[in-house]
Amino acid sequence: MGDTELSYFLPSRQSGVNDMYLHLGFRAAEQFVRRSRVATVWAILRLRHPLLAATVEMHDYDDVRFVYSAPTNVDDALADANSNLEYRDHSKDVLIDSYLNGPRTLSNSRLSYLIVSSPSSHSIPTPPLTPTSAEELATDLQPAVERPEDKQHDILICAMHFLGDGMALHAFANDFFGLLGSEKSDSELKLQLVDEWEMRWGSPAHDTSILPRSLEENMPVKWTRIRRAAARVDFLMSQEELVGGQVFPRRKHPERHTVVPTVSFPTDRTKAMLKKCKSNGVSISAALFAVCNVAWARMGGGRKELPIMMYSALNLRPYFTVKQPSPWDSYWFLAIGYFNVILPNFLPQDGDKVEAIFWHRARQAKEQSTVAAKHPLVVSRTHEMARERGKRARRWGKEDDEKEKGTWTPPCPPSTSSPPLEPVLPARAESSSTALLGLSLLGNLDGIYKHANFPSIRMHTLTTGSRQRHGAMLLFGYTFAGKLWVSLGYDENGFAGDVVDSFWAELIGCMEEFLG
C-alpha cells in the first residue's frame, strides 16, 4: 500500500471507519435479480477488478500488502462471488442503518460485499427510518413505465475506501447494471464469465501486473533534494493559508450512531435549479458551498469575524501519467486529494442584498475550486499530503494498538536542548475545529449511469456514504434519475442539542429560497 491507502486502512481496522456503501433502489422483473444471474455478474466484475477479491496482510505499520489469490477456474470464481453475496428481505433504510451502525460487514479478508434485497415481497413493509420529502416519495414510487412483472429491489454495494473512491464505486455500479439488465440470458452471461477468465488466466503470461498501482505511483515525480525541499516549503505555506474558525458544538458520547436525512427535488424543479445556477455562472456544486455558508450564518453560529472553511474531494485522475496494462486496466484505485473553500461568516443587514451575496459567494467557491484543481503544483502537494497522512496514520495506528494492549505511554515533552525538528503540518489543517463540514459533490451521476443500456431496469433512488468516526459529518450533493439530491450523513450522538437539525432545516430553506 501507498501512503494514501494506508491513511484509509489503518484507521478502519477497529470499527470500519470509511467503509463505503452505495445503495441503489430499482424496479425490475425478478428474473434479473435471481441469485445465479447476480452471482455471475458479480464474478465477472471481480475478475476485472482484482482488488475487490483481494485480502490485506499487515506485517508492520510500514508493510501492509494486498494479496490476491487468482481463481483456478470458473467454478472457483463463482464460489468466491457467492461467498461475498447475501440476500435479505429488508427496506433500504434498514439495509443502510445496519451497515452504518451495526457490526462491521467488511474485514481484511472481505474487502467488498454485495447485498440484494426485495422488501416489497415482505408481507408487512418496514417503515422508513430516513426522512424524505413528500415530493421524493411521490416521484420515487411512480415508475415511468409500469410493468406487471416489475418489483421493487435494493442493492447495497460495499467496499473498503482504500480500494477506491466514489467515482470507482459509481463506474462499477453502472457496469454491474449494464450486465445485469442486458439482453443476455443467464447462460450467455456464464459463457462471458468463461471468456473473461480465459482472457486473464488462460495464459501464464498474464500473471503479472495484476493489482493497480497506488496513487503516488500513478503520479510519479523525479525528486531531487532541491525539488523535495521546495515542495515541502510550498506545501507548508499552502497549509498556513487554511484559516477557519467555525465548528458545530459537539458532545462526547460512548456510542456513534450515523443518520442520513435525504431530500430530493422533482425533475422539473431540478431543471429550474440547474438553469438558475447556470444563469449565475456557477454549477450546483459551487452553489451548495454557498448554501452551507448562508445557512450557518443565518443560524448565528460562531464569531462573525472568523471565516467558514469547508473541504471537499479533488479528482486526481487527470494527473495520472501511468496506465495499467490490459487486461488489468481496472478503475478501482484511489485517485482523490482534498481542497478547501473559505467564505466569510456574515451577511448584510439589508435582507434584500442576501441573494446577491449568495451568488457572489457561490462564484467565490467556484473560483477556489478551480484554482485547487488547476494549480501547477497539485502533484507535488498531493505527494506531500500523502506523506503527512501516512505518518499520522502510522503514529495514531500504533498508539491505538498500544492503548488496546495497555502498553501505551504518553510521549515525553521535548527538551529545550533538543535540536529543532523538521516543520510539520500545522494541526489545524485537517482539524474538525476549523472545518465546519465536508462536502462530497458527485455532480451529474446520470452522466455515469447509462440508463439506456439496461432498459429493463428502472433506477429511482441512490444513496451513498461510509461508516463514520465519532462526531463526523459529510454533506452529499448530486443529480440522479433527473433529480437533485442532498443528504447529510452525521453522527447524531456527536453534536450538542438540536444544532444539526436546525442547520439541516436552514440548508433546505436556503435551497428553496435561492435556487428556486
Side-chain angles (χ1 to χ4, degrees), residues 127 168 177 221 234 237 377 387 471 474 502:
F177 279 95
V221 177
D234 165 72
M237 291 179 64
L377 297 178
R387 289 177 63 201
L474 189 61
S502 299

Side-chain angles (χ1 to χ4, degrees), residues 216-487:
E216 296 80 21
E217 291 174 318
N218 279 318
M219 303 172 67
V221 177
K222 294 182 179 179
W223 294 110
T224 64
R225 291 182 63 185
I226 293 177
R227 188 170 188 178
R228 174 69 79 181
R232 184 66 179 168
V233 170
D234 165 72
F235 175 71
L236 292 173
M237 291 179 64
S238 71
Q239 296 300 300
E240 287 288 352
E241 297 174 358
L242 304 180
V243 180
Q246 305 299 322
V247 61
F248 284 94
R250 284 172 166 79
R251 67 174 180 178
K252 290 185 178 180
H253 194 282
E255 295 184 2
R256 170 193 55 79
H257 190 267
T258 300
V259 294
V260 193
T262 303
V263 169
S264 69
F265 297 88
T267 302
D268 56 347
R269 198 168 176 190
T270 295
K271 289 180 180 178
M273 288 177 163
L274 296 175
K275 184 177 180 180
K276 191 167 186 180
C277 287
K278 185 176 181 180
S279 68
N280 282 279
V282 299
S283 65
I284 192 68
S285 295
L288 284 174
F289 281 111
V291 164
C292 293
N293 173 242
V294 174
W296 179 255
R298 281 182 166 175
M299 286 177 58
R303 295 159 54 188
K304 296 186 183 300
E305 65 271 21
L306 295 177
I308 295 175
M309 184 167 73
M310 296 164 279
Y311 66 89
S312 190
L314 177 65
N315 179 19
L316 295 174
R317 281 173 171 78
Y319 294 95
F320 282 14
T321 57
V322 179
K323 183 174 175 58
Q324 195 80 355
S326 182
W328 305 111
D329 52 348
S330 172
Y331 47 68
W332 267 102
F333 48 76
L334 272 176
I336 54 171
Y338 292 93
F339 69 96
N340 298 273
V341 168
I342 301 171
L343 299 172
N345 182 40
F346 59 84
L347 296 173
Q349 293 184 349
D350 185 350
D352 294 337
K353 295 181 179 179
V354 174
E355 183 170 3
I357 288 294
F358 171 85
W359 291 112
H360 173 67
R361 291 186 183 169
R363 287 187 285 272
Q364 285 182 305
K366 174 187 176 181
E367 181 181 357
Q368 292 179 39
S369 303
T370 302
V371 168
K374 296 184 177 181
H375 198 282
L377 297 178
V378 67
V379 173
S380 63
R381 289 182 178 182
T382 298
H383 276 270
E384 289 298 317
M385 178 58 81
R387 289 177 63 201
E388 289 295 341
R389 288 171 61 92
K391 286 179 183 177
R392 283 201 297 271
R394 292 182 184 93
R395 183 173 70 250
W396 293 339
K398 185 177 181 181
E399 182 179 310
D400 289 342
D401 291 344
E402 290 175 350
K403 286 180 178 178
E404 189 173 353
K405 296 175 183 177
T407 60
W408 181 75
T409 55
C412 297
S415 169
T416 55
S417 60
S418 299
L421 299 175
E422 177 192 4
V424 297
L425 178 68
R428 69 168 185 245
E430 289 191 338
S431 170
S432 61
S433 65
T434 53
L436 183 69
L437 80 164
L439 284 77
S440 181
L441 305 171
L442 305 174
N444 178 22
L445 293 179
D446 288 326
I448 296 177
Y449 291 92
K450 308 302 181 185
H451 301 275
N453 292 344
F454 36 90
S456 298
I457 295 176
R458 193 189 75 86
M459 295 180 174
H460 55 73
T461 308
L462 182 152
T463 313
T464 189
S466 62
R467 285 173 67 97
Q468 296 179 321
R469 56 173 51 87
H470 288 268
M473 177 185 294
L474 189 61
L475 180 79
F476 293 87
Y478 50 91
T479 51
F480 176 74
K483 296 182 291 184
L484 172 63
W485 301 71
V486 288
S487 63

Side-chain angles (χ1 to χ4, degrees), residues 135-143 264 458 460-461 483 485:
E135 293 166 326
E136 176 189 357
L137 192 61
T139 54
D140 277 356
L141 300 183
Q142 294 177 4
S264 69
R458 193 189 75 86
H460 55 73
T461 308
K483 296 182 291 184
W485 301 71

Side-chain angles (χ1 to χ4, degrees), residues 19-277:
D19 287 359
M20 301 186 297
Y21 78 90
L22 173 59
H23 162 266
L24 288 154
F26 63 98
R27 295 185 66 83
E30 291 186 2
Q31 68 193 54
F32 289 102
V33 293
R34 289 178 185 146
R35 187 177 187 108
S36 59
R37 186 177 182 88
V38 172
T40 301
V41 171
W42 186 219
I44 290 171
L45 293 176
R46 290 169 72 85
L47 279 175
R48 293 180 185 177
H49 307 287
L51 277 185
L52 295 175
T55 60
V56 170
E57 289 184 1
M58 180 176 174
H59 301 275
D60 196 2
Y61 300 98
D62 292 306
D63 186 3
V64 183
R65 309 174 184 179
F66 288 112
V67 178
Y68 178 65
S69 299
T72 56
N73 51 46
V74 172
D75 289 340
D76 191 18
L78 272 173
D80 170 69
N82 267 301
S83 67
N84 292 281
L85 169 63
E86 181 181 352
Y87 274 67
R88 297 182 186 174
D89 188 13
H90 295 153
S91 70
K92 68 142 178 139
D93 290 291
V94 171
L95 288 176
I96 294 171
D97 180 72
S98 62
Y99 182 79
L100 292 178
N101 301 306
R104 190 183 185 191
T105 301
L106 304 177
S107 66
N108 287 357
S109 59
R110 176 190 284 167
L111 305 189
S112 64
Y113 200 63
L114 188 65
I115 301 172
V116 182
S117 183
S118 300
S120 60
S121 64
H122 202 287
S123 58
I124 304 176
T126 304
L129 301 178
T130 301
T132 54
S133 69
E135 293 166 326
E136 176 189 357
L137 192 61
T139 54
D140 277 356
L141 300 183
Q142 294 177 4
V145 179
E146 182 65 54
R147 291 181 291 261
E149 67 272 20
D150 284 354
K151 305 295 182 183
Q152 168 62 29
H153 308 283
D154 295 279
I155 278 186
L156 201 70
I157 303 170
C158 315
M160 300 280 206
H161 205 334
F162 54 82
L163 298 186
D165 46 46
M167 289 300 98
L169 198 55
H170 292 293
F172 175 85
N174 176 66
D175 287 348
F176 179 88
F177 279 95
L179 289 169
L180 193 70
S182 69
E183 295 181 353
K184 291 185 177 181
S185 66
D186 292 3
S187 298
E188 289 172 324
L189 283 173
K190 287 182 179 178
L191 287 175
Q192 181 174 344
L193 174 60
V194 172
D195 291 341
E196 301 241 4
W197 183 87
E198 288 285 350
M199 178 175 62
R200 289 168 176 80
W201 298 109
S203 168
H206 288 165
D207 195 10
T208 57
S209 303
I210 297 168
L211 300 182
R213 296 175 176 87
S214 68
L215 182 150
E216 296 80 21
E217 291 174 318
N218 279 318
M219 303 172 67
V221 177
K222 294 182 179 179
W223 294 110
T224 64
R225 291 182 63 185
I226 293 177
R227 188 170 188 178
R228 174 69 79 181
R232 184 66 179 168
V233 170
D234 165 72
F235 175 71
L236 292 173
M237 291 179 64
S238 71
Q239 296 300 300
E240 287 288 352
E241 297 174 358
L242 304 180
V243 180
Q246 305 299 322
V247 61
F248 284 94
R250 284 172 166 79
R251 67 174 180 178
K252 290 185 178 180
H253 194 282
E255 295 184 2
R256 170 193 55 79
H257 190 267
T258 300
V259 294
V260 193
T262 303
V263 169
S264 69
F265 297 88
T267 302
D268 56 347
R269 198 168 176 190
T270 295
K271 289 180 180 178
M273 288 177 163
L274 296 175
K275 184 177 180 180
K276 191 167 186 180
C277 287

